[in-house]
Amino acid sequence: MFMFMFLKTLALLMLCLITPWVSADESDHPLLSRYPNAEIGKWLYTEYEKVELPSGPVNNEGNLHADALIGDLTRIRYEIEGVSTFKVFENYRNALKTSGAKLVSVCELRECGGKDSGLLDLAAGVAGGRYYIGNYYEKPYFARAKLESAQGDIHVGLFVGGYDGDVWVQQVVVEEVPSQNTLISVAKDYLSVKPEQAPSGDQRTPEEKQEDHPMMARYPGARLSKFRSVEYEKISLPLSVVSPEGTAPVKLDLIGDISQYTYQAENVSTLKVYQNYLQAIENLEFSLDYSCELDECGGEDASRKLGQRMAVTGGIENYFRNPYYFVASRNAPQGRVVVAMYFGGFEGDVWIQQAVIEEKGTETDLIKVDADQLYQEIQQSGKALVYGIYFDTDSASVKAESADALKAISDLIQSHPELNLYVVGHTDDTGTSDHNLSLSSRRAASVVEALKADYAMESDRLEPAGVGPYAPVAGNESDDGRRLNRRVELVRRL
C-alpha cells in the first residue's frame, strides 16, 4: 500500500514538474548528453521556476516527501528506437555516478508500479494528452540525483518508460540559483519632476523606452504586445479574489489617467518576473495594498477572470497559470499613483498585465461650465475656455461624460441668437505638431456635430477649427500645464 501511495504521489508530482512544454532552441543539457541516436520530442527551459522534486520513500503515514526547489529548469523528452528501458536507464545511472552525483531515490520495474499507479497519467502529461502518449509507460525506471557545484546544487530527475522496443526518457534538471530581483529599472524622479532621461542601468532600445511608462522599464527582453492610454477614466481594481459567502468582493475604485500594457516574456517563470516588479515597486517607495500568489489567487477560473480584468483587450488566452497579482500605491505632488500588475504563465512563457493609474481632480473643476459664465467671458475677451469635453487619447470621438459641457454651450447659443461662434480645438505639445493639428481639428468638428445632433443647433452658427499646440495657456512641462492646454475654446465669429 505504501509503495502504491508513493508511486501515485510521485506520478502527480512529476506531472506538475514536467508539463507544460514549448518548442524552443532544442539542445541537450550541458550536464548530460543524450543517449546515442535519441531524438528530442519536447524541450523547455524556464528561468527561476519553483518546483517540487520527489525524493521518497513514503513515511509511515503513506505520504511522500518532496523537496521544494527554486532554480533554472530544463525539461527534455528524448525518444529512442530499438532499445530497452533497462539499457537506457543503466547508462544514465552510470553517467550520474561517474559525475559524482548522489542518487537520492531510485525505483525499478515493479517497484515503480504500472499504469494503475498513475504512471500513465504522468506520461500523458508529458506528451500533452493521452492521445499522444501511446503506451510509453511500460517497464519503468525512475531516479533522482543531486550534484554540488560552485554556482549551487543541481538536481536531476529521470523517468524512463518503454513500449514495443522503443523508449521515451523524461529528463528534468533544476539548477538552484540565488534570487535575482533587480532587473527592472525605475525613475524615482517621475513622481516629483518628470525625468528627461531613462533610468540608470536601462538596457532598452530607444523604441522600447518610448513605448514604456516613464516611471518603470519593462522586464528585460519582454515584448510589448498591447497598449492603451485613456485620460480621466474610471477603473476598478480587485483587492480580494475570494470573498466570504454573501459579501461583495473588495475593490479599489479610481478615476485618473490610465496607462495599460501587455508584455510577453519568454523562458522565464511568473515567480521571477513577479519578484522583480515587487522590487521595482519597493524602489519607488510604493506601499503594497494587496497581493496574491499562486493558489491565493483562486483556482483556474478565478485566475483567468482576474487576468482578463487586468488585460488591455480583456483576453489572456491560456496565460493564467501560476498567477501572481499585486496593487501598490503612493502619493505624489500631482496626486496618488497606483500600479496594478497580473502575471500569468503558459508553456514556459509569461504575459505581464500592467496598469498605471495617476489620479486627477475632476477636470470640470478647472472652470465651471455655465452658459452665463461663458457669455461673460466672450463679452470681455471675445472667447471662452471650455473644459469638461472628454476624448480618449488620440481619439476624436466625444465621450458621454461631456454632456454637461455640451448642454452649457447649447444653452449659450439658444439664449443669445445673435451669437455665432468658432469652436476651436487645442491640444498639449506631446506628439508631433502635424498630428496634434489634425487631431484638434477633428475634435472640434466632432463637438460641432454632437451639438447639431443632440441639441438641434443651426449649422451656420458654429464653425469648427483646430490649432493643435500653437496657442497654449500654460507650459507643457507639467501634467497640470498640459491638462490646461487640452481644451475647447468658443470664439466670437462676426
Side-chain angles (χ1 to χ4, degrees):
M1 179 65 181
F2 285 171
M3 180 56 66
F4 174 80
M5 290 296 297
F6 166 71
L7 293 169
K8 193 167 185 70
T9 309
L10 169 66
L12 292 173
L13 285 170
M14 286 292 288
L15 175 60
C16 294
L17 176 64
I18 59 183
T19 58
W21 296 95
V22 63
S23 298
D25 296 331
E26 300 173 352
S27 60
D28 297 334
H29 191 278
L31 179 66
L32 292 170
S33 66
R34 72 182 71 185
Y35 189 90
N37 299 320
E39 294 184 356
I40 292 179
K42 295 287 183 179
W43 185 98
L44 175 63
Y45 172 76
T46 308
E47 288 185 357
Y48 201 71
E49 182 63 282
K50 180 184 290 186
V51 296
E52 289 189 344
L53 196 60
S55 59
V58 294
N59 58 25
N60 293 333
E61 288 76 36
N63 298 319
L64 174 68
H65 173 72
D67 297 318
L69 306 172
I70 295 178
D72 293 343
L73 178 63
T74 304
R75 321 173 205 184
I76 307 174
R77 187 187 76 204
Y78 291 108
E79 301 175 4
I80 314 167
E81 296 182 352
V83 68
S84 68
T85 54
F86 173 68
K87 183 175 182 179
V88 173
F89 181 72
E90 283 295 292
N91 274 273
Y92 273 104
R93 177 156 57 180
N94 183 63
L96 290 171
K97 288 182 177 179
T98 301
S99 69
K102 175 185 177 182
L103 288 176
V104 178
S105 179
V106 175
C107 74
E108 302 181 16
L109 300 174
R110 292 184 178 181
E111 294 175 350
C112 298
K115 70 177 182 179
D116 292 337
S117 71
L119 292 177
L120 180 58
D121 290 332
L122 167 63
V126 172
R130 287 187 179 233
Y131 177 81
Y132 300 99
I133 192 59
N135 296 306
Y136 287 91
Y137 60 89
E138 298 178 353
K139 298 182 179 179
Y141 292 84
F142 170 77
R144 158 85 187 277
K146 176 182 176 181
L147 300 92
E148 296 180 354
S149 74
Q151 292 75 30
D153 291 342
I154 302 175
H155 305 266
V156 179
L158 289 166
F159 172 75
V160 181
Y163 175 67
D164 200 19
D166 296 339
V167 172
W168 281 11
V169 179
Q170 319 293 350
Q171 175 181 299
V172 180
V173 180
V174 184
E175 301 174 70
E176 291 191 79
V177 293
S179 174
Q180 190 178 12
N181 59 2
T182 58
L183 299 178
I184 298 173
S185 302
V186 298
K188 292 184 179 180
D189 54 353
Y190 177 85
L191 299 166
S192 53
V193 179
K194 300 300 175 65
E196 297 180 358
Q197 297 180 346
S200 59
D202 196 342
Q203 301 298 316
R204 293 172 295 168
T205 66
E207 292 77 12
E208 290 174 342
K209 294 173 185 176
Q210 183 69 27
E211 291 172 342
D212 295 347
H213 193 279
M215 182 177 66
M216 188 185 306
R218 70 184 67 187
Y219 186 87
R223 177 175 64 87
L224 179 65
S225 174
K226 300 289 183 182
F227 169 72
R228 173 177 176 262
S229 177
V230 185
E231 294 179 357
Y232 197 69
E233 181 63 282
K234 294 180 180 179
I235 190 171
S236 182
L237 300 174
L239 293 183
S240 69
V241 177
V242 180
S243 300
E245 188 173 353
T247 64
V250 181
K251 298 184 297 181
L252 176 62
D253 296 321
L254 302 169
I255 298 177
D257 295 345
I258 303 172
S259 300
Q260 289 181 268
Y261 308 80
T262 295
Y263 296 103
Q264 299 178 11
E266 296 182 348
N267 300 121
V268 65
S269 67
T270 52
L271 172 65
K272 184 173 184 178
V273 179
Y274 169 70
Q275 288 185 344
N276 272 275
Y277 274 101
L278 276 186
Q279 185 61 53
I281 287 297
E282 182 178 332
N283 293 342
L284 288 167
E285 300 178 356
F286 275 65
S287 297
L288 193 63
D289 299 322
Y290 175 75
S291 66
C292 67
E293 303 181 7
L294 302 174
D295 292 343
E296 296 172 353
C297 299
E300 284 195 356
D301 187 57
S303 174
R304 183 189 292 107
K305 289 180 179 178
L306 179 60
Q308 290 170 342
R309 178 184 288 269
M310 288 295 301
V312 176
T313 60
I316 57 171
E317 298 183 17
N318 293 309
Y319 289 86
F320 56 87
R321 275 82 170 181
N322 299 326
Y324 293 85
Y325 170 74
F326 72 77
V327 178
S329 65
R330 65 158 289 177
N331 292 322
Q334 303 93 332
R336 186 167 60 151
V337 180
V338 179
V339 175
M341 302 197 68
Y342 173 89
F343 311 89
F346 177 62
E347 293 191 340
D349 296 342
V350 176
W351 278 19
I352 304 161
Q353 313 293 346
Q354 173 181 306
V356 180
I357 303 95
E358 300 177 67
E359 283 193 303
K360 303 291 182 184
T362 305
E363 293 204 352
T364 53
D365 292 342
L366 291 169
I367 294 180
K368 184 179 180 181
V369 183
D370 177 87
D372 292 337
Q373 180 66 33
L374 293 175
Y375 185 69
Q376 291 178 16
E377 291 185 27
I378 290 174
Q379 290 294 90
Q380 293 172 1
S381 61
K383 66 178 181 179
L385 280 65
V386 181
Y387 296 93
I389 298 179
Y390 304 115
F391 307 88
D392 283 337
T393 300
D394 206 29
S395 170
S397 298
V398 179
K399 299 182 71 172
E401 296 92 320
S402 309
D404 289 344
L406 295 175
K407 179 63 165 55
I409 297 173
S410 172
D411 292 344
L412 171 67
I413 295 291
Q414 293 178 0
S415 301
H416 302 277
E418 81 288 355
L419 197 60
N420 296 319
L421 298 171
Y422 294 108
V423 178
V424 184
H426 296 258
T427 68
D428 60 31
D429 198 29
T430 56
T432 66
S433 298
D434 288 345
H435 178 76
N436 286 331
L437 188 61
S438 171
L439 179 62
S440 66
S441 298
R442 289 185 283 117
R443 286 181 170 179
S446 293
V447 172
V448 172
E449 290 301 318
L451 288 166
K452 290 178 182 179
D454 298 338
Y455 300 96
M457 294 289 97
E458 298 97 331
S459 59
D460 60 346
R461 297 187 63 188
L462 300 171
E463 183 176 331
V467 296
Y470 295 126
V473 294
N476 282 292
E477 293 79 11
S478 67
D479 273 349
D480 289 339
R482 289 191 292 271
R483 188 173 164 211
L484 289 168
N485 290 334
R486 297 189 295 266
R487 69 196 188 280
V488 170
E489 285 187 351
L490 306 177
V491 179
R492 183 191 293 272
R493 179 167 60 92
L494 300 177

